[in-house]
Amino acid sequence: MASAVKDTVNNLLEKLHLSPTSGSAPPKEPTADELKAVQSQYESAGQSHVFTFWDSLNTAEKGSLYQQLAAIDPNHINDITKRALNPPGKEGEDRLDPLPEPATSSVIDSKQDDLNKWYDAGLDLIAENKVAVVLMAGGQGTRLGSSAPKGCYDIGLPSQKSLFQLQAERILRTQFLAAKKAGKEGEDAEKVVVPWYVMTSGPTREPTEKFFIENNYFGLKKDNVIVFEQGTLPCISNDGKIIMETKGKVAVAPDGNGGLYQALITSSVVHDMSTRGIQHVHAYCVDNCLVKVADPTFIGFSAGKDVDIATKVVRKRNAKESVGLIMQRNERPDVVEYSEIDPKMAEAKDPKDSQLLKFRAANIVNHYYSFRFLDSIPQWAHKLPHHVARKKIPYTDIDSGEFHKPEKPNGIKMEQFVFDCFPFLEMDKFACMEVRREDEFSPLKNAKGTGEDDPDTSKRDILQQGKKWVQATGATVTSEAEDDGVEVSPLISYGGEGLDFLKGQTLKAPAVIEKEKE
């Protein structure tokens, strides 16, 4: 009964966009019977060392550790650890091929009529409130010199907009464009909604929620921005034991971007989508400043093919670029890692165009899902493999009770990859759309000054895109520096549309276009 009440309260807090632990009283120490039940679980799993320091903990620490341990199934952890460390062997060599032509399209060489058809169909679906967006935003800006969620990061644009704000404003713009196409005005236009489901991690949930509140959800309605949290898994020592970070805390790590699927179910996101009538879902990573959120063309293309998963790709820069590729593996869709491709295969040319690589569809973690596929997660989530990453994990020595920061890897973190479910599909339920890198992909991975995938390249790519849009209207852009460009607010243009008012004007870069009368 108590558990049911707790679940009900937590679900209510989820709907209010609050973390169940935010500002709550410290957990109570368990009763003797509760403690005994959990201890017996860990003893039978050979993990009883997690209680080594129990008697030295205070009441609050005991309550916190009990709560953490009670939420973990040690036998399940043993099982997935064993499978991750000893993956099933392969029977023979994998057959790797490019995706079949019927499963692919490219904005680079598609007919304009097809692009227009997909775009209009996508806007129609948005206007019918059948489209949602899932954002994977669990990462911190550690490499950028910030402990804040990466989505809060200011890449140095003249407007000082964060990644979260740019993406929120693109959602607002798609809602506007869809309502306009459908002839909806006033209150009817406001009813066109693309709900935004933001997946955070333990360290980023609270600051993400705070950032949205402080910025009034960037103009989106609070009820349509749903923040939820991905799961974690215990870190495991090299001899298979759960690692204790402190005397009263298990060392844990996020379960990877593939943890998205389980989190969509446990956080009731799929249920919320169902109640809203969502049929089509766009999912992407927070660090891409150019991402076309809820892209009508991509939605229309994917829905028109009636696939369960579609993915955007960009052309691989060259044969040596270390990037995963979307391919067929044994006649199933999959992502093939760079390390799995030998030099001969990497350098092979397309038989139809010798200027292109045969295997060039670079994965950018930008996906479409049918709702029916997400609704089926409970049927296949258990089949997703766990991958091992050997890491230096701070720990408390069980014998001495001393805290250590190791200088070399002392254990493993386990994670799942978001693309590991691709092979569950037949090829006729999978599709791929090639897009221009300069238009849609500029990830923020590295510290400022690195020269690649850093704040300066993100800023440059947005300003150059805006400059290109403005010049396409017939405006002139003058600048003193080559990288100077124009920042066009997503509130007035999603993909270059709506800028005709600039025709004939001369703009001095760097410039910001926030509204029609600048």
Side-chain angles (χ1 to χ4, degrees), residues 83-99:
R83 282 189 279 135
L85 291 172
N86 303 282
K90 293 181 180 178
E91 296 181 8
E93 289 290 317
D94 285 337
R95 178 180 170 181
L96 301 178
D97 298 292
L99 294 178

Side-chain angles (χ1 to χ4, degrees), residues 244-479:
M244 297 300 292
E245 180 178 343
T246 66
K247 293 180 180 181
K249 182 182 178 184
V250 171
V252 297
D255 54 6
N257 59 18
L260 167 70
Y261 302 115
Q262 197 63 45
L264 289 174
I265 297 297
T266 57
S267 296
S268 300
V269 168
V270 168
H271 176 73
D272 187 74
M273 288 179 179
S274 177
T275 61
R276 292 172 182 261
I278 299 299
Q279 294 297 317
H280 311 280
V281 180
H282 178 216
Y284 68 97
C285 291
V286 72
D287 62 3
N288 180 11
C289 67
L290 293 180
V291 63
K292 298 183 79 169
V293 187
D295 178 12
T297 303
F298 187 42
I299 297 293
F301 162 76
S302 306
K305 282 189 165 293
D306 192 30
V307 295
D308 282 329
I309 297 178
T311 184
K312 284 189 178 184
V313 298
V314 296
R315 286 182 181 173
K316 191 177 177 183
R317 284 193 181 108
N318 53 60
K320 294 184 178 179
E321 184 180 9
S322 55
V323 61
L325 298 177
I326 306 289
M327 298 169 64
Q328 284 188 93
R329 189 198 300 267
N330 304 324
E331 301 184 341
R332 295 273 184 161
D334 205 352
V335 172
V336 178
E337 295 295 349
Y338 173 70
S339 58
E340 298 179 72
I341 300 173
D342 62 43
K344 185 178 178 181
M345 181 178 286
E347 294 168 8
K349 299 296 185 180
D350 188 324
K352 294 184 178 179
D353 186 345
S354 61
Q355 299 298 309
L356 299 176
L357 293 171
K358 181 178 181 181
F359 301 100
R360 61 181 180 271
N363 176 36
I364 59 173
V365 196
N366 192 323
H367 307 311
Y368 161 93
Y369 298 96
S370 69
F371 174 77
R372 68 178 175 240
F373 182 74
L374 297 182
D375 197 36
S376 73
I377 289 171
Q379 298 169 29
W380 51 259
H382 65 282
K383 295 193 289 184
L384 288 173
H386 287 81
H387 304 271
V388 168
R390 298 193 179 276
K391 299 285 186 177
K392 293 181 283 189
I393 304 166
Y395 70 100
T396 294
D397 187 273
I398 294 300
D399 296 322
S400 68
E402 293 180 359
F403 179 76
H404 295 277
K405 283 191 171 182
E407 295 181 358
K408 59 182 181 180
N410 62 315
I412 63 169
K413 295 181 179 181
M414 290 182 290
E415 58 183 356
Q416 294 178 313
F417 297 154
V418 74
F419 54 75
D420 278 333
C421 63
F422 290 7
F424 297 165
L425 299 179
E426 300 282 352
M427 274 309 316
D428 64 350
K429 286 300 178 183
F430 184 88
C432 178
M433 173 176 275
E434 180 186 69
V435 298
R436 291 182 177 87
R437 189 186 291 252
E438 65 270 24
D439 288 343
E440 298 201 36
F441 187 55
S442 181
L444 179 60
K445 304 286 186 187
N446 303 315
K448 188 177 176 69
T450 307
E452 184 175 325
D453 297 342
D454 69 3
D456 292 331
T457 59
S458 294
K459 172 187 173 183
R460 177 202 68 201
D461 291 345
I462 284 188
L463 294 182
Q464 290 303 305
Q465 182 183 68
K467 181 179 179 180
K468 183 172 69 175
W469 289 352
V470 167
Q471 289 173 327
T473 70
T476 300
V477 179
T478 62
S479 60

Side-chain angles (χ1 to χ4, degrees), residues 126-138:
I126 291 170
E128 294 165 7
N129 289 346
K130 292 181 178 179
V131 176
V133 170
V134 171
L135 166 59
M136 290 172 272

Side-chain angles (χ1 to χ4, degrees), residues 161-180:
K161 289 179 181 178
S162 64
L163 293 172
F164 278 142
Q165 183 168 354
L166 292 171
Q167 294 161 22
E169 290 182 354
R170 287 176 190 144
I171 291 175
L172 285 165
R173 182 67 179 175
T174 60
Q175 291 175 169
F176 168 80
L177 291 170
K180 183 179 178 181

